[in-house]
Amino acid sequence: MAVLAIIDYGMGNLRSVSNALLRVAPAGDRVVLTSSPEVVRAADRVVFPGQGAARDCMREIVGHGLVDAVLDAAASRPFLGICMGMQVLLAHSEENGGIDCLGVYPGTVRYFGRSPRDPLSGERLKVPHMGWNQLQQSRPHPLWSGILDLSRFYFVHSYYVAPAETGLVAATASYGVDFCAALARDNVFAIQCHPEKSAEAGLQLLHNFARWNGKPA
């Protein structure tokens, strides 16, 4: 019996993530919502969700004593970052004049801007980017199994990830600019959208994660 831990640091609608994973996890596996570093360290798989501001996220992770547990999980077992849980894996965010993040990967989290425009139509785009958008898969990965390229996922965000290494990019999306919508390396997969709100494609991604051995292929 495997244990899948969802890290609870007080930010985000974690109940939707938990309910979605309970639907797709293998029979007998446990899905636990926890703020305990010890439980995170003992889990077989770890989900790191979140929404809101990077500064608040980092403050709560530190306040809950979870930094080392998150870093350990990202270095050692199947790890899924969702939304803010993807962004703070990078070194730095432009938010609020600049904030240092966890630094698992080099790169910056950038603001879409006050009034981005569609490059084809010139139409102004609203920020935050909110709603359904296509994901273009950049390369094969076990978490894309059963998910057609250009499937639509649900996004809510004002900032996007710009990793310093193009090899980290696992999918892109377009909203005024083409941006990294998913990144992957070794045992880590992180995605900007909310798979728990993304209908069948999102549930398939969570299904795949709940069975993933942490190897990229």
Side-chain angles (χ1 to χ4, degrees):
M1 180 181 70
V3 174
L4 194 159
I6 304 168
I7 300 176
D8 179 6
Y9 54 97
M11 294 184 67
N13 184 5
L14 304 186
R15 190 58 58 189
S16 348
V17 178
S18 177
N19 288 341
L21 282 164
L22 284 167
R23 285 181 61 184
V24 300
D29 282 10
R30 291 180 57 216
V31 176
V32 296
L33 192 59
T34 182
S35 58
S36 164
E38 291 74 22
V39 173
V40 173
R41 286 191 180 96
D44 300 287
R45 294 179 177 83
V46 173
V47 177
F48 183 39
Q51 59 191 46
R55 186 180 301 278
D56 296 339
C57 175
M58 289 303 301
R59 184 187 64 240
E60 293 301 320
I61 295 168
V62 171
H64 284 80
L66 284 163
V67 171
D68 288 344
V70 171
L71 294 176
D72 174 69
S76 62
R77 73 206 76 156
F79 182 99
L80 175 63
I82 297 175
C83 194
M84 184 56 66
M86 174 189 185
Q87 293 185 7
V88 297
L89 294 178
L90 268 66
H92 187 78
S93 174
E94 293 180 345
E95 193 174 330
N96 298 120
I99 175 89
D100 289 334
C101 299
L102 291 172
V104 175
Y105 304 114
T108 302
V109 183
R110 295 178 179 164
Y111 184 43
F112 277 116
R114 292 185 180 277
S115 54
R117 293 181 180 272
D118 185 295
L120 296 179
S121 68
E123 177 186 0
R124 284 183 182 271
L125 301 172
K126 294 181 179 179
V127 177
H129 170 213
M130 183 181 298
W132 295 86
N133 203 342
Q134 290 180 312
L135 281 188
Q136 182 168 7
Q137 298 170 21
S138 303
R139 52 190 165 94
H141 191 279
L143 265 64
W144 295 138
S145 177
I147 301 173
L148 294 175
D149 193 18
L150 301 180
S151 292
R152 295 171 70 83
F153 285 76
Y154 189 79
F155 289 79
V156 183
H157 63 127
S158 300
Y159 292 78
Y160 63 92
V161 164
E165 301 174 17
T166 56
L168 285 166
V169 179
T172 60
S174 181
Y175 194 71
V177 296
D178 293 336
F179 65 92
C180 173
L183 62 81
R185 176 166 289 170
D186 300 328
N187 59 294
V188 173
F189 189 96
I191 192 161
Q192 179 62 65
C193 61
H194 289 271
E196 75 279 8
K197 298 179 181 178
S198 297
E200 292 305 315
L203 286 176
Q204 182 64 46
L205 188 142
L206 295 175
H207 173 279
N208 295 340
F209 176 73
R211 291 157 179 80
W212 184 36
N213 63 8
K215 296 181 180 179

